[in-house]
Amino acid sequence: MLSTEAQQTLFTNARTHNGWQDKPVSDVLLHELYDLMKWAPTSANASPARIVFVKSDEQKSALLACMAEGNLEKTKTAPVTAIIGMDMAFYDQLPQLFPHADARSWFAGNQALIDATAFRNSSLQGAYLMLAARTLGLDCGPMSGFDADKVNATFFAGSEVKVNFICNLGYGDASKLHARGPRLSFEQACRIV
Amino acid sequence: MLSTEAQQTLFTNARTHNGWQDKPVSDVLLHELYDLMKWAPTSANASPARIVFVKSDEQKSALLACMAEGNLEKTKTAPVTAIIGMDMAFYDQLPQLFPHADARSWFAGNQALIDATAFRNSSLQGAYLMLAARTLGLDCGPMSGFDADKVNATFFAGSEVKVNFICNLGYGDASKLHARGPRLSFEQACRIV
């Protein structure tokens, strides 16, 4: 059981940030981030997420050309923007990732299962990335507003990877937070049977 | 930044469990679980996940009739099994969840956007549920092997909710763990540009 302070860092006090402090995020920290998130579970250990961490001015400009207008300023000022992609050929890695069975054969040729597995599990891994980032003291700002075809052409050309969602990372500027939105009650979202 | 011990509990030492101790999970703890996971981000705060916590023998039997054979024994012995569903009419809650704009109109009538938003964001929330469970000292065993139509007919009849995935919750029996699978290296899964 984690401490109340850890629960606050991960969930109860953590906020989606739109404004960023002028404080860099090192490549070492991005490696630490991956080395946490990679351990959380995916179906058949398939691990379909592929991540591009955009840091350079040149690549950030290329990404800004793909973003919806409401996401431009926050993406421009974030020290890192993570593009969470999904490898639609993830099953080709299963001989490495799931060596004790022919797991590749469970997927190859079944496009509906491939699509659902890639989307579900890369989304899980995107959530792991965000909570791993908070674990390391970073703040997150996830976004769905972008031109997916343009992101794919710019960052994943010549591969089987497709963008899932995009997430700014850095140290948030709490003075730029809006009021927190309400959540559904337990009774609205859950039941125990 | 969380402690090394917290990082171990969440990520580096946590394992997917298939065997369970004979130790119950209280309804109070399930409320605490939801009260953590609900705060993590979803697109437009849409919060599409709907969760059924299956505890009773009668409802567990009904669930077992939906599970793939390889998932039967672990689901039978888990003190709680969470069915993570997605409300395909999630946008009807946006006047409550996103009151400062007409967010409902962004989704209503756009089925492709509804489908992608429900699936992506209920998957994110499923990952939040698993890491919130670990935060509270519980272990998780997520599963994709089940008859989705049968789960929907048994647990979500007469609603717009569809199952996404299913996750056993409880206190794992470490003596029943298999060797841990390898993960992709940073260079295989990520790049910094």
Side-chain angles (χ1 to χ4, degrees):
Chain A
M1 171 115 177
L2 269 57
S3 67
T4 301
E5 192 185 349
Q7 296 184 26
Q8 291 170 339
T9 299
L10 291 169
F11 294 106
T12 47
N13 283 0
R15 298 292 309 277
T16 290
H17 280 267
N18 299 307
W20 302 98
Q21 300 175 45
D22 183 16
K23 185 177 170 185
V25 174
S26 70
D27 291 1
V28 169
L29 193 58
L30 297 178
H31 278 77
E32 289 177 12
L33 175 60
Y34 178 69
D35 282 337
L36 288 179
M37 64 167 278
K38 72 180 181 185
W39 292 116
T42 58
S43 182
N45 197 30
S47 311
R50 301 291 179 269
I51 303 157
V52 181
F53 294 107
V54 181
K55 289 182 74 174
S56 71
D57 289 344
E58 185 189 343
Q59 297 296 312
K60 187 62 83 75
S61 292
L63 178 58
L64 290 174
C66 309
M67 301 304 292
E69 191 175 347
N71 290 329
L72 281 175
E73 184 62 22
K74 51 191 171 188
T75 303
K76 187 177 176 182
T77 53
V80 185
T81 305
I83 305 172
I84 293 100
M86 47 188 166
D87 186 353
M88 305 311 292
F90 67 86
Y91 48 92
D92 285 334
Q93 307 304 321
L94 285 172
Q96 174 189 345
L97 294 170
F98 201 87
H100 44 292
D102 181 16
R104 187 182 182 284
S105 69
W106 305 341
F107 296 96
N110 187 339
Q111 196 59 46
L113 182 63
I114 291 168
D115 291 348
T117 303
F119 193 27
R120 176 185 299 112
N121 287 277
S122 66
S123 298
L124 295 178
Q125 289 185 282
Y128 303 150
L129 178 146
M130 290 192 278
L131 294 184
R134 289 175 174 178
T135 295
L136 294 172
L138 290 165
D139 292 303
C140 304
M143 301 172 288
S144 299
F146 52 83
D147 182 330
D149 290 339
K150 210 165 175 177
V151 172
N152 291 336
T154 306
F155 292 96
F156 299 123
S159 80
E160 297 294 313
V161 181
K162 304 290 177 200
V163 65
N164 183 337
F165 72 100
I166 295 177
C167 185
N168 289 320
L169 298 171
Y171 300 93
D173 178 353
S175 74
K176 293 188 179 159
L177 288 171
H178 304 291
R180 199 174 204 182
R183 296 299 191 271
L184 298 176
S185 69
F186 185 92
E187 290 69 26
Q188 287 180 294
C190 306
R191 59 195 156 98
I192 301 173
V193 300
Chain B
M1 171 117 178
L2 269 57
S3 68
T4 300
E5 193 186 347
Q7 295 183 27
Q8 291 170 339
T9 299
L10 291 169
F11 295 106
T12 48
N13 284 359
R15 298 292 308 279
T16 291
H17 280 267
N18 299 307
W20 301 99
Q21 300 174 47
D22 184 17
K23 185 177 169 185
V25 173
S26 71
D27 291 2
V28 170
L29 194 59
L30 296 178
H31 278 77
E32 289 177 12
L33 175 61
Y34 178 70
D35 282 337
L36 288 179
M37 65 166 280
K38 72 181 182 184
W39 292 116
T42 57
S43 183
N45 197 30
S47 309
R50 302 292 181 268
I51 302 157
V52 181
F53 294 107
V54 181
K55 289 182 75 174
S56 70
D57 289 344
E58 184 189 342
Q59 296 295 312
K60 187 63 83 77
S61 292
L63 178 59
L64 289 174
C66 309
M67 302 304 292
E69 192 175 345
N71 290 328
L72 281 175
E73 184 62 22
K74 51 193 172 187
T75 303
K76 187 177 177 183
T77 53
V80 186
T81 304
I83 304 172
I84 294 101
M86 46 188 167
D87 186 352
M88 306 311 292
F90 67 86
Y91 48 92
D92 285 335
Q93 307 303 321
L94 286 172
Q96 174 189 347
L97 294 170
F98 201 87
H100 44 293
D102 181 15
R104 188 183 182 283
S105 69
W106 305 341
F107 295 96
N110 186 341
Q111 195 61 45
L113 182 63
I114 291 168
D115 291 348
T117 302
F119 193 28
R120 178 185 298 112
N121 287 277
S122 65
S123 298
L124 295 178
Q125 289 185 282
Y128 303 150
L129 177 146
M130 291 191 277
L131 293 183
R134 290 175 174 178
T135 295
L136 295 172
L138 291 165
D139 292 303
C140 304
M143 301 171 288
S144 299
F146 52 83
D147 182 330
D149 289 339
K150 209 163 175 177
V151 172
N152 291 336
T154 305
F155 292 95
F156 300 123
S159 80
E160 297 294 314
V161 181
K162 304 290 177 199
V163 63
N164 184 337
F165 71 100
I166 295 178
C167 185
N168 289 320
L169 298 171
Y171 299 93
D173 178 353
S175 74
K176 294 190 178 156
L177 287 171
H178 305 292
R180 198 175 205 182
R183 297 299 193 270
L184 298 175
S185 68
F186 185 92
E187 289 69 26
Q188 287 179 295
C190 308
R191 57 194 157 99
I192 302 174
V193 298

